[in-house]
Amino acid sequence: MLIKVRKGWELQESAATPESAFLNRRQLMTGLAAGSILAGMGSFARPALAEVPWADAQRDDPSFPLYPAARNLRYRVERDITDEETNGKYNNFYEYGSHKEIWRSAQKLKIRPWEIRIEGMVENEFTIGIDDLLAKVSLEERVYRHRCVEAWSMVAPWTGFPLRALVELAKPLSSAKYIEMATFNKPEMAPGQRQFWYPWPYLEGLTIAEAANDLAFMVTGAYGKPLAKQHGAPLRLAAPWKYGFKSVKSIDRFTFTDKRPKTFWEEVQGREYGFWANVNPEVPHPRWSQATERVLGTNGRIPTVIYNGYGEFVAQLYDGMEGERLFM
Ligand code: MTE
């Protein structure tokens, strides 16, 4: 079943609902978190909460009461949001396997305690727990397209905060040019990390200018709840103008540096996966076309759009960089 995306001119839920009702709904969700049984929830009920097989893990997440957050209507997608269960059962998370059905295996991921290291070219290196970080930022919902390099796509209602807010917290030195972002490296809770031929941990990077762009988003939740483990809880990136492999999951380290990071997929197969990886239908992957994409949850294909449709936000970042492999 597809959820209808609210059109830009329609009101967001927090605006359309009297504030008291909106707040009551939050309290109800908090009540659900505590396991209370509520009769007669009427229009406040959120059936999806109980429906997805991983809902219990989300209710156990200490950040559960922070959700849902109000939607930021600046980021509009004129396509249906991908159904939550379809999205949560078709994932790329090599730490849990190189196939798509990793959601059960990903429940092994332990997301508390979760310490995040900020290091490298910053005023002062520090470590911060995910709940302390959440207390310092303000959460919003953004509906983003996601285009995987494998030519499938989906639309997700992510919740999180701009990556720029994290950069500001980190206070990078002016000499820093890039942010390297790393996934945890704990083979005991991620069987895929025992596959020694991969260069763990999964590593990705952006330039500081990309990270400061409005679109770059740190994701902590989705579908009005804490992020499901298979999507990369408790903290992942969404860089929707780039192929999906840039959107690194379950991050526990940010390193500010003046050297362009060598990313996981560059290390594995640099001829096919580069640092920039901006979406472009006219630049084929060496082994397949990038002209169209299969929309998750449908049998249809649609044309792929340059920068995945986000050119107005990001195209200017690449002015004068024609010599770079921008689209691979
Ligand atoms: N991050 C880590 N740590 N490990 C991965 O295997 N896969 C990437 C990206 N982030 C990946 C990752 C790829 S290829 C894609 S398309 C997206 O995550 C998939 O995100 P989703 O499973 O939430 O749809």
Side-chain angles (χ1 to χ4, degrees), residues 5-304:
V5 186
R6 203 178 4 244
K7 297 285 185 298
W9 59 86
E10 291 171 351
L11 286 173
Q12 59 186 316
E13 180 180 56
S14 54
T17 318
E19 193 180 355
S20 58
F22 183 69
L23 293 175
N24 275 340
R25 186 167 165 282
R26 276 174 174 274
Q27 280 153 8
L28 278 169
M29 294 188 68
T30 312
L32 282 173
S36 62
I37 298 164
L38 293 156
M41 290 196 297
S43 60
F44 291 132
R46 177 188 286 259
L49 202 63
E51 272 167 20
V52 291
W54 49 89
D56 282 348
Q58 292 172 300
R59 277 191 284 270
D60 288 345
D61 186 314
S63 70
F64 184 85
L66 301 178
Y67 301 89
R71 184 172 295 177
N72 182 336
L73 295 177
R74 187 169 174 222
Y75 305 97
R76 290 188 207 143
V77 177
E78 300 304 330
R79 260 160 60 190
D80 289 333
I81 290 177
T82 306
D83 166 68
E84 180 181 5
E85 188 158 344
T86 305
N87 200 354
K89 289 186 170 175
Y90 190 92
N91 302 100
N92 273 333
F93 203 171
Y94 273 61
E95 286 80 346
Y96 292 97
S98 51
H99 50 90
K100 301 287 180 278
E101 287 159 35
I102 53 81
W103 73 266
R104 264 198 199 85
S105 170
Q107 303 312 307
K108 292 191 191 81
L109 171 59
K110 289 201 175 46
I111 54 170
R112 293 295 187 289
W114 192 272
E115 302 275 286
I116 298 152
R117 182 79 187 147
I118 311 278
E119 59 173 37
M121 296 175 148
V122 291
E123 277 181 19
N124 290 300
E125 300 184 321
F126 62 95
T127 302
I128 185 168
I130 183 70
D131 296 304
D132 292 335
L133 177 61
L134 285 168
K136 285 182 189 292
V137 294
S138 106
L139 295 182
E140 62 184 63
E141 184 179 75
R142 296 185 182 186
V143 178
Y144 273 179
R145 288 181 285 270
H146 174 98
R147 169 62 158 82
C148 178
V149 73
E150 298 161 340
W152 56 265
S153 70
M154 51 94 163
V155 175
W158 302 124
T159 307
F161 57 92
L163 175 52
R164 193 195 302 112
L166 188 136
V167 174
E168 282 163 9
L169 270 179
K171 300 199 177 72
L173 305 179
S174 58
S175 46
K177 300 280 178 289
Y178 301 92
I179 310 181
E180 181 179 293
M181 294 170 245
T183 299
F184 67 88
N185 192 6
K186 292 191 174 153
E188 65 280 11
M189 70 173 182
Q193 290 183 328
R194 289 185 211 128
Q195 297 183 308
F196 58 85
W197 52 92
Y198 285 116
W200 308 110
Y202 195 102
L203 210 106
E204 259 306 337
L206 295 176
T207 63
I208 301 270
E210 289 176 323
N213 185 273
D214 285 349
L215 265 190
F217 200 51
M218 290 314 319
V219 176
T220 60
Y223 297 92
K225 295 176 290 179
L227 195 59
K229 294 181 179 183
Q230 62 269 36
H231 286 303
L235 185 69
R236 74 172 279 175
L237 175 68
W241 71 101
K242 292 177 176 286
Y243 290 115
F245 65 84
K246 295 293 294 182
S247 290
V248 45
K249 296 181 171 184
S250 304
I251 302 169
D252 71 356
R253 174 169 60 79
F254 294 83
T255 306
F256 290 77
T257 165
D258 57 359
K259 298 201 177 48
R260 185 185 295 182
K262 178 120 190 221
T263 66
F264 180 86
W265 285 111
E266 266 188 300
E267 196 81 57
V268 172
Q269 184 52 281
R271 209 177 65 81
E272 301 191 348
Y273 308 102
F275 175 78
W276 298 104
N278 296 311
V279 174
N280 187 339
E282 288 175 11
V283 179
H285 183 277
R287 289 181 283 135
W288 57 83
S289 163
Q290 295 291 23
T292 63
E293 60 203 56
R294 182 175 64 84
V295 179
L296 220 61
T298 75
N299 292 322
R301 298 192 78 84
I302 58 169
T304 289

Side-chain angles (χ1 to χ4, degrees), residues 299-316:
N299 292 322
R301 298 192 78 84
I302 58 169
T304 289
V305 182
I306 185 142
Y307 294 115
N308 200 19
Y310 293 105
E312 62 173 303
F313 295 97
V314 296
Q316 83 290 347

